[in-house]
Amino acid sequence: MKNDKMKNQYRINEQIRVREVRIVGEDGSTVVPTRQALDMARDQGVDLVEISPNANPPVCRLIDYSKFLYQQKKRQKEMKAKQVKVEVKEIRFGPQTDEHDYQFKLKHAKEFLEEGNKVRAYVFFRGRSILFKEQGEVLLLRFANDLEECGKVEGMPSLEGKKMFLYLAPKKAGVAKKSQQARDREASEAEAKENAKQQAAEEKPSNGGLFANAKISADALKKLTETDE
């Protein structure tokens, strides 16, 4: 059924009833009467295929129609393979989630976002725990902040029934913005490395100085020897 639909998508040969067409190929394009284009296709043993009917004049190619359909099908398959299927992954919290559980779920959410998936995080309020909805909102905001480098917030936390939702979408590769906390940590690490390097340089004996002193002593000894002679 799919092949029949694709076959009927293009007009070929005698189905093309306009007065003139533009023939495109590797050498460029040229406008010729449709009858002449049909003769050209017949002489080359191929078909006249209309690939852009809305152009003025319509654009055609001289190509074997079966080969043309195969190329179109192959191109569509490649485009479909390149399309990334985005899934929505859920992360569930309680209003009083402990730190260990929070870090565990944070790690998984980061993996989901880095794989190109969206994340729907929510806090579920059971019974009277709805009284802690402010606490749940703070938790979700912290969650969004901790994922700032790889995810962007699509909406602020919102309460829907007994659940408070937060939606995060992955950031594009190469444009992830580092959080202030990450930048401060990197700056501190760089400063610590620099201080350690300077301290090591101060404590390490200067080999250059030893070699220089040895050279001076040798030169002095040589001069004394020459004087004695």
Side-chain angles (χ1 to χ4, degrees):
M1 183 67 75
K2 281 187 177 180
N3 290 337
D4 292 340
K5 186 177 181 181
M6 184 173 286
K7 281 184 179 180
N8 296 329
Q9 186 177 348
Y10 301 95
R11 286 195 289 261
I12 64 170
N13 300 326
E14 301 297 339
Q15 296 175 352
I16 304 171
R17 301 183 182 279
V18 295
R19 193 167 74 175
E20 59 182 13
V21 294
R22 180 180 297 277
I23 303 296
V24 295
E26 295 179 357
D27 299 328
S29 67
T30 181
V31 177
V32 299
T34 303
R35 179 51 55 189
Q36 182 181 340
L38 288 169
D39 292 339
M40 292 168 61
R42 194 174 297 110
D43 292 341
Q44 296 179 28
V46 294
D47 298 297
L48 180 67
V49 182
E50 186 183 60
I51 59 174
S52 183
N54 296 325
N56 188 20
V59 179
C60 296
R61 285 184 63 188
L62 299 173
I63 189 173
D64 181 271
Y65 191 43
S66 298
K67 182 179 179 180
F68 174 76
L69 290 176
Y70 172 76
Q71 290 176 345
Q72 293 297 104
K73 185 178 179 181
K74 184 179 179 182
R75 187 177 293 111
Q76 289 180 4
K77 189 175 181 180
E78 289 174 351
M79 290 177 63
K80 187 176 181 180
K82 289 180 180 179
Q83 291 177 347
V84 180
K85 185 179 179 181
V86 178
E87 297 182 10
V88 179
K89 303 289 188 177
E90 283 195 345
I91 300 291
R92 172 177 169 168
F93 293 103
Q96 296 177 318
T97 299
D98 61 44
E99 185 63 22
H100 180 269
D101 190 31
Y102 174 84
Q103 293 297 333
F104 178 78
K105 292 178 178 179
L106 180 68
K107 178 184 176 182
H108 280 287
K110 186 176 181 181
E111 291 174 354
F112 293 149
L113 292 168
E114 289 176 345
E115 290 170 358
N117 299 304
K118 291 188 175 184
V119 170
R120 178 170 62 184
Y122 68 92
V123 180
F124 180 69
F125 300 99
R126 190 190 304 274
R128 293 176 62 95
S129 66
I130 192 68
L131 299 173
F132 299 99
K133 62 180 181 179
E134 289 81 6
Q135 190 171 334
E137 183 176 6
V138 170
L139 186 149
L140 290 176
L141 290 173
R142 176 194 173 189
F143 190 66
N145 184 67
D146 289 343
L147 292 169
E148 184 182 6
E149 293 182 23
C150 54
K152 57 183 178 181
V153 178
E154 290 192 327
M156 297 302 289
S158 60
L159 186 64
E160 299 177 19
K162 294 183 178 181
K163 297 179 181 179
M164 181 175 287
F165 290 94
L166 174 74
Y167 294 88
L168 295 165
K171 284 187 175 180
K172 291 183 179 180
V175 297
K177 183 180 177 182
K178 294 182 179 179
S179 65
Q180 185 62 46
Q181 183 179 3
R183 291 194 294 268
D184 292 342
R185 182 174 63 253
E186 289 182 359
S188 298
E189 290 175 353
E191 184 178 355
K193 286 182 180 179
E194 186 62 29
N195 291 337
K197 188 188 293 184
Q198 291 179 1
Q199 186 176 354
E202 291 173 0
E203 294 176 354
K204 186 177 181 180
S206 176
N207 290 334
L210 290 174
F211 286 128
N213 292 336
K215 187 175 184 299
I216 293 171
S217 299
D219 290 341
L221 182 61
K222 185 178 180 181
K223 286 183 180 180
L224 287 173
T225 304
E226 290 174 352
T227 304
D228 291 341
E229 291 176 352

